[in-house]
Amino acid sequence: MKKKYSKEEINDYSKRIQSLMSNLDLSIGIGGLSRTCNVPQSKIRYWEQKGYIGCHKGDKNTNHRYPYSAVIKVELIKSFLDSGYTLAKAAEKASVFDETGSLLHRIARQRFESINVVDENTAVDMGPIKDDPEHHIMFVDEDGTLTAQIVKKD
């Protein structure tokens, strides 16, 4: 049985999540990237030196931080290398991801509006439809299955 939350609890939770999402810094150090992707740090440094992956460089006293999308890009490069491509070609093919790689992060930061309840199910409000601010895109959890719905906002 699902626990019922009051409208005030849901609103409070939504505000907290929205604040977190707008300030979210999804980055990883070289050690974490190496462990996550099972790629030696020396290869990551080499790929960075060649310009195949990028990082956020801090001042000289801080470690490099890689955007979360670097995990996917490193995995793509590995996959193409495993398929027989040269490193240069694998990196070129993986670079397509650069154009779309931050899309999920941008969606989370820019479109997440709130947590709601739709027909007694938890829903994530991803904001209004373009040119129709009364209707919002909601992802509704219906017993573990997510459905996308257009919902008229109260």
Side-chain angles (χ1 to χ4, degrees), residues 30-50:
I30 192 167
L33 184 60
S34 173
R35 284 187 302 278
T36 300
C37 297
N38 197 27
V39 172
Q41 290 183 25
S42 58
K43 277 190 180 181
I44 293 170
R45 284 189 198 95
Y46 180 72
W47 294 355
E48 181 185 342
Q49 181 184 33
K50 296 294 261 178

Side-chain angles (χ1 to χ4, degrees), residues 126-144:
M126 297 306 287
I129 296 173
K130 184 178 179 179
D131 300 327
D132 187 1
E134 289 185 5
H135 290 91
H136 285 225
I137 299 169
M138 302 258 192
F139 291 98
V140 182
D141 182 1
E142 297 176 339
D143 297 320

Side-chain angles (χ1 to χ4, degrees), residues 32-144:
L33 184 60
S34 173
R35 284 187 302 278
T36 300
C37 297
N38 197 27
V39 172
Q41 290 183 25
S42 58
K43 277 190 180 181
I44 293 170
R45 284 189 198 95
Y46 180 72
W47 294 355
E48 181 185 342
Q49 181 184 33
K50 296 294 261 178
Y52 299 147
I53 60 171
C55 73
H56 305 297
K57 295 180 183 176
D59 63 32
K60 64 181 179 180
N61 295 325
T62 61
N63 293 332
H64 292 186
R65 302 292 299 174
Y66 296 86
Y68 83 98
S69 57
V71 172
I72 295 170
K73 189 158 183 195
V74 167
E75 289 291 348
L76 281 172
I77 291 172
K78 271 181 39 181
S79 172
F80 288 124
L81 286 170
D82 291 345
S83 295
Y85 289 94
T86 65
L87 176 58
K89 190 65 174 176
E92 177 187 326
K93 290 180 77 60
S95 70
V96 171
F97 180 74
D98 289 339
E99 298 169 18
T100 59
S102 64
L103 181 60
L104 292 176
H105 191 214
R106 288 194 333 261
I107 289 170
R109 290 182 82 164
Q110 295 176 18
R111 293 294 308 193
F112 174 82
E113 191 159 297
S114 65
I115 303 293
N116 278 300
V117 174
V118 173
D119 298 328
E120 298 188 16
N121 294 305
T122 305
V124 176
D125 184 345
M126 297 306 287
I129 296 173
K130 184 178 179 179
D131 300 327
D132 187 1
E134 289 185 5
H135 290 91
H136 285 225
I137 299 169
M138 302 258 192
F139 291 98
V140 182
D141 182 1
E142 297 176 339
D143 297 320

